[in-house]
Amino acid sequence: LIVGETGTGKELVARSIHQNSRRREQRFVPVDCGAIPENLMESEFFGYERGAFTGAHARNIGLLEFTDGGTFFMDEVGELPLHLQAKLLRVLQERKVRRVGGKEEASIDIRIVAATRRDLETSIHEGQFREDLYFRINVIQIELPPLRERDQDILLLAEHFLSRHTQGSDKVVLGISSDAKDALLGYQWPGNVRELQNVIRRGIAVTKEEEIGINDLPGHISSIQSSASANLSSVALEWEKDFFALREQYIADFERSYLMGQLKNTGGDVSAAARESQVPRGTFYRLLKKYDLHAKDYRS
């Protein structure tokens, strides 16, 4: 079970597990449990026999049977409806699949890797996820920390994406300017690695120089660099403070300034501000409370 926020690279980890296993020559079949309509999910997973329902003109094997011998990756497993969770649990226990409308069971040999951004233990308490299925899939848990908690990776990943997305391109972009790097390091990355990749792709597309500059970054990121300079000046470069104290102060100044800006831009509409920020609304409310900010103060 791989857990982590959206954009942290859960599928990449799942593919790495598959590629380093004895099943690497077999299929890796990914499925987004939140993207399949609920009324189609059972037939997609388990397949169906001819005549099982209107439009079932021929037998069709499901994704589980199709994966036989390989790795079945269920992204956002917390989105599975309860009735399908029960059927999936039986498959994991018996290693057999019965197609919709069928009587016989087909044996399968698959490895299950699941991923979620939800807290499944909370979902269990809320009656939205089966406890027995959770124990079955949570044999080994891999937790992926958000990018903001591993800032030492930000520039490494940025350079990787720069190299990756300039290959085969007729555009020569050799690096990232120092002020742009400062802005990347100061940003909180609510969209994690996926957001960073898109920012670098944008920088490559818009820059007219041989390096991505501060003005080639989106405005909500490029503004951080100037804010950082102002913050450092305002504290008169208090070098007597330790690194962690200064970093916490800088992050707090940034978060408060960013929240105020979003509330101003949306006229105090917290839902809209959370969407624009790509931050969960509950998290946005907690941050407002943390900094004693009130949405009503920004409503005209």
Side-chain angles (χ1 to χ4, degrees):
L1 177 65
I2 306 169
V3 298
E5 294 180 6
T6 298
T8 50
K10 296 187 289 294
E11 183 171 341
L12 183 62
V13 171
R15 288 183 181 275
S16 297
I17 291 171
H18 175 73
Q19 290 297 328
N20 287 280
S21 74
R22 287 174 293 179
R23 298 177 184 267
R24 58 182 171 273
E25 301 299 328
Q26 305 300 320
R27 293 187 180 98
F28 175 87
V29 179
V31 57
D32 186 342
C33 299
I36 303 176
E38 187 172 337
N39 61 328
L40 298 178
M41 196 171 284
E42 186 173 5
S43 59
E44 285 288 317
F45 272 62
F46 300 97
Y48 53 84
E49 296 287 351
R50 179 180 179 183
F53 50 82
T54 303
H57 302 301
R59 170 187 286 182
N60 187 57
I61 68 170
L63 293 172
L64 288 163
E65 199 172 346
F66 178 72
T67 311
D68 190 28
T71 301
F72 188 64
F73 173 57
M74 296 187 297
D75 197 9
E76 296 304 340
V77 68
E79 305 298 325
L80 283 175
L82 283 169
H83 76 278
L84 199 61
Q85 292 177 30
K87 291 198 68 172
L88 180 63
L89 178 63
R90 178 172 175 79
V91 169
L92 297 180
Q93 291 172 338
E94 305 296 331
R95 298 288 174 176
K96 292 181 179 179
V97 172
R98 177 181 293 145
R99 304 185 190 105
V100 176
K103 296 180 180 179
E104 297 181 355
E105 291 184 320
S107 296
I108 57 172
D109 171 25
I110 63 174
R111 181 183 207 170
I112 294 286
V113 180
T116 183
R117 56 186 168 87
R118 281 192 179 192
D119 182 344
L120 291 185
E121 293 185 4
T122 299
S123 296
I124 291 169
H125 293 311
E126 294 173 349
Q128 298 176 351
F129 201 82
R130 292 179 62 109
E131 187 175 35
D132 46 6
L133 178 59
Y134 174 70
F135 290 137
R136 174 63 77 168
I137 63 176
N138 191 32
V139 178
I140 297 176
Q141 186 176 122
I142 300 173
E143 183 175 354
L144 298 185
L147 190 55
R148 62 183 173 274
E149 293 180 6
R150 47 192 177 104
D151 51 9
Q152 70 276 11
D153 292 345
I154 292 174
L155 296 184
L156 289 173
L157 287 166
E159 296 288 355
H160 166 72
F161 292 136
L162 178 66
S163 174
R164 176 179 174 182
H165 293 299
T166 52
Q167 287 181 2
S169 171
D170 56 357
K171 202 165 189 179
V172 178
V173 184
L174 302 177
I176 303 171
S177 70
S178 59
D179 52 355
K181 288 180 179 179
D182 289 341
L184 295 179
L185 289 171
Y187 184 56
Q188 290 292 287
W189 300 107
N192 292 295
V193 180
R194 185 181 297 129
E195 183 184 8
L196 174 59
Q197 178 175 212
N198 289 334
V199 166
I200 297 301
R201 293 179 68 180
R202 177 191 190 278
I204 294 170
V206 303
T207 187
K208 297 179 180 179
E209 309 296 334
E210 291 190 349
E211 65 177 12
I212 295 174
I214 188 69
N215 294 325
D216 301 319
L217 301 178
H220 63 284
I221 298 178
S222 62
S223 62
I224 291 173
Q225 197 270 344
S226 55
S227 298
S229 299
N231 287 337
L232 286 173
S233 298
S234 67
V235 298
L237 300 180
E238 299 177 51
W239 302 119
E240 67 275 12
K241 289 187 178 181
D242 64 60
F243 167 79
F244 295 102
L246 279 173
R247 186 173 70 170
E248 287 303 313
Q249 179 179 337
Y250 166 70
I251 291 174
D253 288 344
F254 159 72
E255 287 183 345
R256 192 174 194 282
S257 175
Y258 183 82
L259 293 169
M260 292 172 63
Q262 288 291 6
L263 288 175
K264 182 178 179 180
N265 290 340
T266 60
D269 186 334
V270 176
S271 295
R275 283 196 303 271
E276 289 293 323
S277 307
Q278 299 183 44
V279 172
R281 189 170 60 177
T283 301
F284 202 91
Y285 272 113
R286 285 194 295 273
L287 288 169
L288 292 180
K289 184 177 180 180
K290 176 181 177 181
Y291 295 106
D292 195 27
L293 296 173
H294 305 281
K296 61 182 177 61
D297 296 336
Y298 296 85
R299 296 177 186 141
S300 55

